Amino acid sequence: RHNPLYYFEKQGVFAVLGTAVMLLVSKFNYQRLRGAGRALIYVSVIFLILVIIPHNPIAVTAKGATRWLKIGVQFQPSEIAKVAIITYFADSISRKKDKMRSFRYGVLPYAFILVVVAGLVAVEPHLSGAILILGAGAAMMLVGGINWAWVIAAVGAAVGMVYVALFVIGYNTSRVTYWLNPWAEDPLDKGYQLRQSLITIGSGGLWGLGLGKSRQKFLFLPEEHNDFIFSVVCEELGLVGAGVVMLLFAALVLRGYWIALHCRDRFGALLVVGFTTLIAVQVFLNIAVVSGVLPTTGIPLPFFSYGGTALCVQLAEMGVILSVSRQMKPIKAGEKRP
């Protein structure tokens, strides 16, 4: 109960399990995932509906949000939904090719699925999870060949909905207010978390206080082990260490897109684009939130934030990317990639 290594030990177990899953998945032929997408969509929708049913005994609520189910083990259905969207979209889009430029075949069915799944996730409420699902799905549709006009229309519609939600309806206006000026009014009110995050980042200086020597994590910074763990990274490792972490994420994302560009088939390329975009968007949003570039929203940092389901799923996604890369054609002497 008072074990100071509680989170470390529990996350370590999931890290070992996730690594084993990653290595196992990397040995499988990713083509076997073609038929799994549709089934995963159905399963994820059922789980997401179970989450939002009032007074459901297997639904777990924490801090005002019901995002987990406990059926023997506790897990987040939204993590399954992300994998389901990417797997199904990769399979379906890879079969359509030229049909993707038409609204009927290339936009409408995928937009409908995204609205349903992301809408169920948003109702939990889990707005950041819905954003990630929409972002990954949109990226795959774009790579799949939809008309740019639909992309521009979708972006315009999204900007319009955000404007209406914030400035007409007034939803989460306080978050925007305290984002623009986190030092306003009561220091213990809604701007507290961002203020403490900025203090934590600034305390690290150039070289940091040293690994494990953060002071802000001792009940000053809320969610220091989860959504705001990058602030602690900045405090302990400083600007130099945080920069190295960001460069490693950038290298991972660039390598993912490189694999997608040089993949032997369309299905594998779309799988890699989906999973890589998921990681890229999540990293960008998390770092932007903890540094005050964007308003505060609950979004964890991949591979760093506490959460067993998320870590295992993310490592399994890396296993799929490894599986795709293993089947790339070797480069012969003097030969260039197409």
Side-chain angles (χ1 to χ4, degrees):
R1 190 173 184 180
H2 301 288
N3 181 8
L5 296 177
Y6 172 78
Y7 289 116
F8 178 81
E9 292 175 352
K10 192 171 181 181
Q11 192 73 350
V13 172
F14 284 109
V16 172
L17 177 62
T19 302
V21 171
M22 179 185 69
L23 295 175
L24 184 63
V25 171
S26 70
K27 302 295 183 182
F28 285 164
N29 185 346
Y30 64 90
Q31 295 292 342
R32 295 181 181 179
L33 294 174
R34 276 192 177 272
R38 188 182 298 273
L40 283 174
I41 289 286
Y42 293 143
V43 169
S44 62
V45 168
I46 292 171
F47 282 159
L48 290 172
I49 292 174
L50 289 174
V51 167
I52 63 176
I53 293 177
H55 311 297
N56 185 352
I58 64 173
V60 179
T61 302
K63 299 182 179 179
T66 307
R67 302 175 182 174
W68 300 266
L69 289 177
K70 191 166 186 179
I71 309 174
V73 295
Q74 185 170 308
F75 63 95
Q76 268 190 298
S78 60
E79 295 296 331
I80 299 175
K82 295 171 189 175
V83 176
I85 287 290
I86 292 171
T87 306
Y88 175 73
F89 275 32
D91 182 22
S92 180
I93 293 174
S94 66
R95 299 176 188 274
K96 289 188 176 180
K97 297 185 180 178
D98 295 338
K99 288 185 177 180
M100 287 299 297
R101 295 193 64 81
S102 71
F103 179 79
R104 179 180 178 182
Y105 297 104
V107 177
L108 189 59
Y110 304 108
F112 174 77
I113 294 172
L114 284 177
V115 168
V116 171
V117 175
L120 289 172
V121 173
V123 169
E124 294 180 355
H126 191 11
L127 183 59
S128 58
I131 292 172
L132 290 173
I133 289 172
L134 290 171
M140 296 180 72
M141 291 167 64
L142 182 60
V143 173
I146 66 170
N147 195 312
W148 272 93
W150 299 117
V151 178
I152 296 172
V155 171
V159 172
M161 286 188 291
V162 169
Y163 176 82
V164 170
L166 293 178
F167 301 105
V168 178
I169 300 175
Y171 175 74
N172 269 349
T173 302
S174 60
R175 285 194 178 188
V176 177
T177 301
Y178 285 100
W179 163 57
L180 295 174
N181 185 9
W183 313 98
E185 302 181 17
D186 187 353
L188 298 179
D189 201 6
K190 295 179 181 179
Y192 176 80
Q193 190 171 34
L194 180 55
R195 279 195 293 272
Q196 292 300 320
S197 177
L198 295 176
I199 291 172
T200 305
I201 292 172
S203 299
L206 183 62
W207 298 105
L209 302 179
L211 189 63
K213 296 183 179 180
S214 166
R215 296 187 292 260
Q216 286 291 109
K217 66 184 178 182
F218 294 111
L219 303 181
F220 292 102
L221 175 65
E223 297 296 326
E224 79 291 339
H225 63 291
N226 198 347
D227 298 346
F228 280 75
I229 195 169
F230 187 73
S231 301
V232 177
V233 171
C234 292
E235 184 183 17
E236 295 188 352
L237 303 182
L239 177 63
V240 174
V244 170
V245 170
M246 288 189 287
L247 286 174
L248 289 173
F249 273 121
L252 176 65
V253 171
L254 290 174
R255 181 63 179 179
Y257 287 133
W258 186 91
I259 292 171
L261 284 171
H262 299 92
C263 186
R264 69 163 63 215
D265 68 355
R266 188 174 168 86
F267 174 63
L270 286 166
L271 277 177
V272 175
V273 166
F275 289 132
T276 302
T277 301
L278 199 62
I279 295 295
V281 173
Q282 197 165 343
V283 169
F284 171 77
L285 290 179
N286 178 271
I287 295 177
V289 164
V290 302
S291 59
V293 176
L294 292 175
T296 302
T297 183
I299 188 163
L301 184 66
F303 309 114
F304 279 75
S305 294
Y306 177 78
T309 305
L311 181 60
C312 287
V313 171
Q314 287 159 7
L315 288 171
E317 292 167 357
M318 293 301 102
V320 174
I321 295 177
L322 287 172
S323 175
V324 175
S325 68
R326 282 163 56 88
Q327 295 192 35
M328 291 170 55
K329 294 179 181 179
I331 303 177
K332 298 179 181 179
E335 179 184 358
K336 293 183 179 180
R337 287 287 186 188

